[in-house]
């Protein structure tokens, strides 16, 4: 036998040359199944080689009479020799052959030769030698199948289908290499146990990777992607890749969401979806906590986040996609509470929870969003501003919607927080009652809204003075009011409100519903026909020149006034046909005048900061230079001071840029 | 409306009492009054006068700055003063003295004590830090030579050049670094 070993060697070399020549031409080995199919003819060489080797093996095999020891010694010697002469490319060949068998098994066109082939493999102990290789073929096939069938299909859970597919397709093939020699199904089952669960794990892992890669879009698609989330949950239980998921989602968020190009509303919507999605995947909320942290921090830095949240809280309604699901029960905001260890339902925090993880038992989205900020005061303030704007903008005196909103929000934020809003609402109804009373005493065409200054957000002030008959109306009304409520004084805000006018010109009468400034101007035109803009501004109490120009443009548009020359306006007592040089009718600015008359929270803060600046100026004048923390602690003398040292720091930095202060070694002093 | 107002009233003033609570001694009403005076003073922005508590722990010790009014012999000079409020303020006047040496008929050049009627027998609870500081500022320009604390200064008042020389000899500019 030893003498004829060179025969085998020669034959192996011959077949392998045959194989390699053919393979090296397309250069595409067996990386993918397709490639191996293309070079289908090449594995044939390997296949023939294997058969040939089996023939050699059987030819020299000692007869059974010599006993098992001889046979095993022979087998060992034979295999040692064969393995030693097989070149590295043989592995590739084996892979191609095996892939082909898998392909045939899947497509359910079993080749009777396959069984023979596997037997040949077994005889030569090739299966043991190339087990990992054979398994990797299975893995690769599963991967490509999962990628192909599950990518982008999120509506239904696919895990069950995949499992069925594994049983149907992969398991029959696995029987060849991994359950060889099994005589019945039970035996096969036992033999398959280890490798089967490895394959199953691999399938879960592949799906998990796929879904992790797609997680951002899955969240965008929520709730249509609930199936995918269910799969992901199951996969994560099997495969420990929670950290990967967190990382992938955080990366995707950073790249696709948390940048200046994204609308705050979109970020919020996505955040809410993330909350809902991750609650499906991971009910304790550890994943959510980890993923949401950057989003929350980012949102905190955006100036319009609160406004956005509040707007959706009260259901702006126009867009229809408010953050809050109307079906959700309205519940009070959850405060982080102490853990109740005597609770029989108590569970320790999940193992991968960070030290600052706070288990939030509720799934209340609003609570989670509101907790982006440390206090809910900011929300309440913003709510007041929003409510003020809406109440003042309402023309029909119907506040049911606002009242309903306030009631809903009371449940969330508590009665006390919304007391101010309550007063504001009440002011509106009181105004109407007072007005009815005053009208009954002395009819007036004026219907003021009387608000309690202390409870309303700061309203933009104006030095506007209403001329002529408006002035008289105001005074008359104020007189009646002081009779009715002697302890209260009216302070007019003439620039807010609307005036319904009837203009009687020589040849026509016009009706118009205009802001007060427009009304004031046209009233002045009843004194004389030609005014310059500067005169008008002077007479109406120094109003903003731009506002004045706009107000006049309104009348020019209505062909009541005409701009004779730059800044000089004339009343058209008799209508003039549109002159050819009149510029094309500019589209009427769509109510741009309806800027919120209420100071936004930001403006209010700037106003407060001006006051604090006086204190800072005072202390630096008298105490020389101070470190920031001293300034911070001294500012408690200023009423209502609630800024953090950081906010103060950036404020001082801004003051330094304006040259008001300078800083040296951390000591701030007034600039000269 | 009224009941809501009254219900809210305590909370609206709560921050003030919270501030006053930090002063270790003295009844709350005094610290409240001082807080209010500080607020008024800060918001009034009267030119040339200013004052602020020395530290956040004690509202009863203030530091002030008075600049000489334009057109007077003290123009362009600023003087640091210290103000100490008694615990029964405003029923007793605050004790005020010049920290910067001030050559002035009614100011003790060594100790900085001030002879001003409203700081002694003419004191009234309606005066405030602001009014006192304004009085001091005008006292600089219009001394009461009838009851001088500094006889030399009173004698020299009618010779502006010699007075100015003496004034500048004693004057030391406020060190901005404390």
């Amino acid at each position: 036998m030893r003498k004829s070993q060179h025969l085998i060697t020669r034959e192996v070399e011959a077949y392998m040359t045959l194989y390699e020549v053919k393979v090296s031409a397309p250069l595409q080995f067996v990386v993918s199944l397709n490639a191996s199919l293309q070079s289908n003819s090449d594995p044939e060489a390997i296949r023939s080689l294997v058969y040939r080797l089996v023939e050699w093996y059987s030819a020299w095999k000692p007869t059974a009479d010599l006993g098992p020891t001889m046979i095993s010694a022979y087998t060992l010697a034979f295999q040692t020799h064969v393995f030693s002469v097989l070149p590295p490319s043989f592995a590739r060949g084996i892979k191609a052959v095996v892939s082909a068998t898998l392909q045939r098994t899947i497509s359910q066109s079993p080749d009777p030769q396959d069984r023979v082939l596997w037997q040949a493999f077994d005889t030569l102990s090739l299966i043991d030698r190339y087990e990992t290789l054979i398994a990797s073929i299975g893995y690769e096939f599963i991967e490509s199948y999962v990628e192909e069938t599950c990518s982008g299909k999120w509506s239904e859970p696919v895990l069950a289908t995949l499992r069925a597919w594994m049983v149907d397709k992969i398991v029959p093939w696995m029987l060849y290499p991994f359950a060889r020699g099994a005589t019945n199904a039970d035996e096969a089952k036992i033999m398959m146990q280890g490798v089967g669960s490895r394959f199953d794990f691999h399938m879960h892992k592949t799906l998990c990777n796929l879904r992790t890669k797609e997680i951002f879009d899955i969240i965008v698609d929520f709730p249509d992607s609930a199936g995918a989330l269910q799969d992901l949950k199951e996969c994560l239980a099997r495969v420990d890749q929670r950290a990967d998921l967190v990382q992938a989602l955080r990366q995707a968020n950073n790249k696709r969401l948390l940048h200046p190009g994204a609308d705050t509303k979109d970020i919020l919507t996505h955040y809410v979806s993330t909350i809902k999605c991750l609650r499906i995947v991971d009910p304790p909320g550890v994943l959510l906590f980890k993923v949401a942290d950057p989003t929350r921090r980012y949102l905190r830095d955006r100036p319009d986040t609160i406004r956005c949240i509040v707007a959706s809280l009260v259901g702006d309604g126009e867009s229809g996609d408010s953050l809050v699901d109307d079906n959700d029960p309205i519940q009070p905001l959850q405060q982080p509470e102490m853990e109740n260890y005597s609770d029989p339902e108590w569970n320790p925090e999940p193992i991968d929870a960070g030290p600052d993880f706070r288990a939030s038992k509720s799934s209340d989205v609003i609570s989670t969003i509101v907790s982006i900020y440390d206090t809910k005061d900011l929300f309440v303030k913003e709510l007041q501003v929003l409510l003020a704007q809406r109440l003042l903008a309402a023309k029909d005196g119907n506040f049911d919607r606002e009242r309903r909103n306030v009631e809903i929000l009371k449940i969330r934020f508590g009665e006390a927080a919304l007391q101010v809003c309550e007063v504001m609402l009440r002011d509106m109804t009181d105004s109407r009652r007072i007005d009815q009373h005053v009208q009954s005493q002395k009819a007036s065409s004026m219907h003021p809204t009387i608000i309690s200054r202390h409870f309303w957000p700061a309203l933009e002030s104006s030095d506007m003075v209403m001329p002529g008959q408006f002035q008289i109306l105001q005074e008359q009304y104020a007189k009646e009011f002081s009779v009715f409520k002697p302890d209260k004084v009216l302070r007019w805000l003439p620039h807010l409100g609307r005036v319904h006018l009837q203009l009687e010109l020589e040849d026509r009468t016009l009706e118009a519903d205009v802001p007060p400034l427009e009304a004031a101007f046209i009233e002045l035109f009843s004194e004389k026909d030609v005014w310059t803009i500067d005169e008008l501004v002077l007479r109406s109490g120094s109003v903003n020149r731009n506002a004045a120009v706009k107000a006049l443009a309104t009348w020019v548009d209505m062909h009541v006034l005409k701009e004779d020359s730059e800044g000089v306006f004339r009343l058209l007592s008799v209508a003039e046909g549109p002159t050819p040089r009149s510029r094309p009718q500019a589209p009427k600015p769509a109510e741009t005048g309806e800027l919120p008359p209420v100071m936004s929270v930001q403006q209010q803060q700037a106003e407060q900061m001006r006051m604090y600046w006086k204190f800072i100026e005072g202390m630096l004048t008298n105490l020389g230079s101070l470190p920031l923390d001293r300034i911070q602690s001294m500012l408690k003398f200023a009423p209502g001071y609630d800024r953090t040292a950081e906010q103060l720091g950036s404020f001082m930095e801004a003051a330094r840029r304006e040259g008001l202060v300078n800083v040296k070694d951390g000591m701030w002093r007034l600039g000269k | 409306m009224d009941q809501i107002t009254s219900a809210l009233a305590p909370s609206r003033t709560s921050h003030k009492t919270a501030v006053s609570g930090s002063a270790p001694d003295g009844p709350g009403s005094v610290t409240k009054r001082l807080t209010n005076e500080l607020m008024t003073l800060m918001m009034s922005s009267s030119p040339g006068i200013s004052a602020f508590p020395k530290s956040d722990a004690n509202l009863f010790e203030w530091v002030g700055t008075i600049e000489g009014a334009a057109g007077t012999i003290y123009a362009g000079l600023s003087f640091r003063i210290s103000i100490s409020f008694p615990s029964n303020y405003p029923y007793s006047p605050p004790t005020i003295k010049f920290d910067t040496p001030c050559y002035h008929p009614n100011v003790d050049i060594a100790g900085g004590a001030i002879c001003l009627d409203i700081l002694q027998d003419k004191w009234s609870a309606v005066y405030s830090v602001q009014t006192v500081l304004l009085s001091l500022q005008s006292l600089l320009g219009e001394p009461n030579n009838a009851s001088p604390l500094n006889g030399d200064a009173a004698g020299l008042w009618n010779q502006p050049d010699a007075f100015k020389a003496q004034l500048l000899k004693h004057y030391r500019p406020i060190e901005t670094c404390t």
Side-chain angles (χ1 to χ4, degrees):
Chain A
M1 175 186 135
R2 238 168 260 281
K3 273 184 267 172
S4 23
Q5 269 178 358
H6 68 277
L7 289 177
I8 305 178
T9 314
R10 208 171 56 210
E11 206 150 352
V12 166
E13 275 165 7
Y15 276 108
M16 285 318 291
T17 329
L18 193 67
Y19 173 68
E20 276 174 18
V21 165
K22 285 189 175 171
V23 163
S24 58
L27 260 177
Q28 258 185 336
F29 300 138
V30 280
V31 178
S32 75
L33 289 171
N34 287 344
S36 71
L37 285 175
Q38 277 165 8
S39 52
N40 208 10
S41 54
D42 310 316
E44 284 309 311
I46 298 294
R47 189 192 272 259
S48 317
L49 171 60
V50 171
Y51 288 149
R52 190 80 184 137
L53 285 173
V54 173
E55 274 173 43
W56 281 109
Y57 174 77
S58 342
W60 290 333
K61 194 174 175 183
T63 52
D65 307 345
L66 289 171
T69 325
M70 265 315 271
I71 295 182
S72 64
Y74 160 74
T75 310
L76 190 64
F78 183 83
Q79 282 172 1
T80 312
H81 176 71
V82 168
F83 292 159
S84 71
V85 296
L86 284 175
S89 58
F90 182 74
R92 285 204 304 267
I94 284 286
K95 203 167 172 182
V97 173
V98 173
S99 298
T101 66
L102 173 62
Q103 206 60 40
R104 277 195 291 276
T105 318
I106 298 299
S107 56
Q108 301 212 306
S109 53
D111 189 341
Q113 280 205 328
D114 280 351
R115 186 163 291 278
V116 183
L117 180 67
W118 283 108
Q119 263 160 15
F121 281 161
D122 192 23
T123 316
L124 296 174
S125 290
L126 286 176
I127 294 180
D128 291 339
R129 189 173 163 83
Y130 292 106
E131 189 178 339
T132 45
L133 190 118
I134 294 169
S136 78
I137 293 169
Y139 292 162
E140 276 166 21
F141 187 74
I142 292 172
E143 276 166 31
S144 65
Y145 178 80
V146 169
E147 294 260 340
E148 204 175 296
T149 53
C150 304
S151 296
K153 290 182 186 141
W154 305 321
S155 50
E156 297 296 325
V158 291
L159 213 46
T161 333
L162 279 180
R163 286 209 191 97
W165 173 79
M166 292 281 284
V167 169
D168 274 3
K169 308 281 181 179
I170 301 291
V171 170
W173 172 76
M174 281 163 66
L175 287 173
Y176 292 129
F178 301 113
R180 55 185 191 274
T183 47
N184 55 38
D186 282 344
E187 211 175 315
K189 214 183 216 168
I190 292 162
M191 293 176 83
M192 294 272 288
Q193 218 164 35
V195 69
S197 71
R198 280 213 298 282
F199 270 72
D200 190 49
F201 177 86
H202 195 78
M203 188 265 289
H204 281 96
K205 187 177 153 134
T206 310
L207 185 64
C208 187
N209 286 343
L210 178 70
R211 292 293 183 241
T212 303
K213 214 167 65 194
E214 297 170 329
I215 184 72
F216 187 88
D217 296 299
I218 293 180
I219 290 175
V220 170
D221 256 25
F222 187 81
D224 293 337
S225 55
L229 292 166
Q230 205 57 46
D231 283 347
L232 189 57
K233 181 185 177 182
E234 276 186 56
C235 287
L236 281 178
R238 189 82 205 273
V239 189
D240 186 28
Q241 291 190 334
R242 293 157 64 92
D244 292 349
L245 180 71
V246 169
Q247 211 189 356
L249 189 51
R250 281 172 78 143
Q251 252 170 16
N253 278 345
N254 272 338
K255 191 166 156 230
R256 295 176 60 176
L257 195 66
L258 306 182
H259 56 75
D263 202 21
T264 307
K265 197 161 168 48
D266 293 342
I267 299 181
L268 274 174
T269 317
H270 187 84
Y271 179 41
V272 170
S273 295
T274 311
I275 294 174
K276 290 179 180 161
C277 291
L278 292 187
R279 282 209 187 279
I280 296 179
V281 175
D282 173 53
V286 179
L287 292 186
L288 176 63
F289 183 79
K290 289 184 176 172
V291 168
D293 197 43
T295 314
R296 291 165 67 90
R297 256 185 286 133
Y298 184 83
L299 280 172
R300 210 173 301 160
D301 288 346
R302 277 219 171 186
D304 58 339
T305 306
I306 295 194
R307 177 160 284 258
C308 243
I309 297 173
V310 169
S312 64
L313 271 183
V314 298
D316 248 348
E318 292 116 24
S319 48
D321 55 286
S322 110
L323 297 177
V324 201
D325 195 345
D326 285 338
N327 303 327
D328 283 350
I330 298 158
Q331 43 187 321
L333 289 185
Q334 325 266 323
Q335 298 296 336
E337 40 193 65
M338 287 296 289
E339 287 209 63
N340 177 12
Y341 293 106
S342 56
D343 180 2
E345 301 283 305
W346 183 87
N347 274 312
E349 279 172 2
I351 190 106
D352 55 346
D356 47 354
F357 170 74
R358 276 176 299 127
S360 48
K361 291 183 184 60
S362 78
S363 57
D364 182 32
V365 170
I366 295 298
S367 303
T368 318
I369 291 184
V370 170
S371 69
I372 291 176
Y373 295 88
D374 294 331
T375 72
K376 60 183 184 186
D377 296 357
L378 288 170
F379 287 89
V380 174
K381 266 190 196 147
E382 193 68 48
L383 266 172
Q384 287 165 10
V385 170
L386 196 77
L387 182 69
Q389 281 173 4
R390 288 183 172 203
L391 289 179
L392 291 182
K395 297 195 181 82
D396 52 356
N398 182 3
F399 308 114
D400 290 347
R401 215 169 96 94
E402 315 307 334
R403 191 174 297 283
R404 187 181 145 264
N405 280 336
V406 169
E407 289 299 327
I408 291 175
L409 291 168
K410 254 194 213 164
I411 303 174
R412 288 200 188 279
F413 289 94
E415 293 263 343
L418 287 176
Q419 202 147 26
V420 171
C421 295
E422 191 73 348
V423 174
M424 287 161 68
L425 275 173
R426 215 174 133 152
D427 275 351
M428 299 310 280
T429 40
D430 279 358
S431 302
R432 202 148 7 132
R433 225 188 49 228
I434 293 169
D435 189 49
Q436 270 165 9
H437 177 85
V438 173
Q439 300 288 352
S440 69
Q441 299 300 309
K442 183 176 195 308
S444 165
S445 51
M446 185 174 219
H447 304 281
T449 299
I450 299 157
I451 63 177
S452 322
R453 194 161 61 94
H454 276 307
F455 293 90
W456 284 64
L459 297 171
E460 268 171 28
S461 61
S462 158
D463 302 325
M464 183 174 155
V465 180
M466 295 298 281
Q469 50 175 320
F470 300 115
Q471 186 75 45
I472 298 166
L473 277 173
Q474 274 184 10
E475 279 163 12
Q476 281 173 349
Y477 200 98
K479 221 166 90 193
E480 283 305 321
F481 180 80
S482 62
V483 173
F484 182 47
K485 293 221 176 218
D487 54 336
K488 300 231 163 65
V489 182
L490 285 181
R491 184 185 298 174
W492 296 93
L493 295 168
H495 58 294
L496 305 176
R498 302 287 289 182
V499 183
H500 187 79
L501 287 175
Q502 194 171 17
L503 300 182
E504 286 179 15
L505 300 167
E506 273 175 36
D507 61 338
R508 65 200 191 276
T509 47
L510 280 176
E511 293 218 6
D513 198 19
V514 291
L517 186 61
E518 270 87 335
F521 282 173
I522 208 69
E523 168 72 17
L524 287 170
F525 274 96
S526 63
E527 288 177 22
K528 60 176 190 173
D529 279 359
V530 181
W531 289 81
T532 68
I533 190 159
D534 294 320
E535 287 172 331
L536 287 169
V537 167
L538 207 65
R539 277 295 300 273
S540 54
S542 44
V543 292
N544 185 336
R545 202 187 151 87
N546 286 342
V549 170
K550 230 187 86 234
L552 287 167
T554 313
W555 292 119
V556 172
D557 280 349
M558 294 168 82
H559 301 293
V560 174
L561 295 183
K562 188 173 171 204
E563 188 168 8
D564 278 344
S565 58
E566 179 84 35
V568 179
F569 290 84
R570 181 165 58 85
L571 182 69
L572 298 175
S573 305
V574 179
E576 277 181 13
T579 50
R581 62 165 277 269
S582 75
R583 60 200 129 153
Q585 193 87 353
K588 203 177 173 192
E591 298 291 313
T592 40
E594 301 235 355
L595 285 176
V598 184
M599 278 198 224
S600 74
V601 172
Q602 275 172 329
Q603 282 171 308
Q604 288 183 36
Q605 283 182 347
E607 194 67 34
Q608 278 181 335
M609 224 50 213
R610 251 193 289 286
M611 181 178 92
Y612 301 144
W613 168 247
K614 299 251 185 179
F615 277 81
I616 296 170
E617 208 177 13
M619 70 177 84
L620 291 180
T621 307
N622 293 297
L623 304 177
S625 53
L626 291 174
L628 197 64
D629 56 339
R630 276 288 298 284
I631 299 177
Q632 172 76 4
S633 63
M634 297 283 255
L635 271 175
K636 74 172 191 189
F637 289 129
Y641 182 76
D642 57 354
R643 301 306 149 91
T644 63
E646 273 167 32
Q647 285 171 316
L648 177 67
S650 52
F651 176 74
M652 294 301 286
E653 193 53 39
R656 188 186 64 78
R657 279 197 295 275
E658 286 183 29
L660 296 170
V661 288
N662 48 48
V663 62
K664 198 178 157 199
D665 304 330
M667 301 291 280
W668 295 85
R669 60 163 72 220
L670 287 179
K672 289 278 145 32
Chain B
M1 172 63 110
D2 288 340
Q3 59 223 24
I4 291 170
T5 318
S6 58
L8 274 189
S11 70
R12 290 169 52 76
T13 53
S14 61
H15 57 263
K16 286 176 190 155
T17 46
V19 167
S20 61
S22 61
D25 48 355
S29 63
V30 181
T31 52
K32 194 170 157 188
R33 156 110 186 194
L34 288 174
T35 311
N36 281 341
E37 284 199 15
L38 178 62
M39 177 78 187
T40 320
L41 185 63
M42 288 298 111
M43 290 299 127
S44 66
S45 57
S46 321
I49 59 162
S50 172
F52 208 81
K54 253 182 205 157
S55 82
D56 55 320
N58 187 356
L59 202 51
F60 288 76
E61 299 287 336
W62 289 24
V63 181
T65 311
I66 296 178
E67 287 170 23
T72 68
I73 206 158
Y74 293 89
L77 306 180
S78 27
F79 297 89
R80 177 124 309 157
I81 58 169
S82 58
I83 310 168
S84 169
F85 295 93
S87 56
N88 61 345
Y89 182 81
Y91 302 108
S92 302
T95 311
I96 301 183
K97 65 188 192 61
F98 275 88
D99 288 346
T100 311
C102 179
Y103 190 74
H104 185 276
N106 303 110
V107 178
D108 177 15
I109 188 75
I114 303 164
C115 178
L116 180 62
D117 51 358
I118 64 161
L119 288 178
Q120 283 128 25
D121 50 340
K122 294 275 176 58
W123 171 257
S124 145
V126 300
Y127 292 129
S128 67
V129 181
Q130 193 183 1
T131 53
V132 167
L133 288 177
L134 283 170
S135 307
L136 280 177
Q137 193 182 31
S138 58
L139 180 74
L140 286 182
E142 299 155 18
N144 178 6
N145 284 322
S147 62
L149 260 183
N150 184 339
D152 294 348
L156 274 180
W157 180 254
N158 288 324
Q159 305 160 38
D161 292 338
F163 188 89
K164 180 98 182 181
Q166 282 296 316
L167 170 62
L168 291 180
K169 201 177 97 188
H170 290 95
Y171 178 74
R172 266 176 285 118
I174 293 175
E175 288 180 23
T176 38
C177 280
T178 48

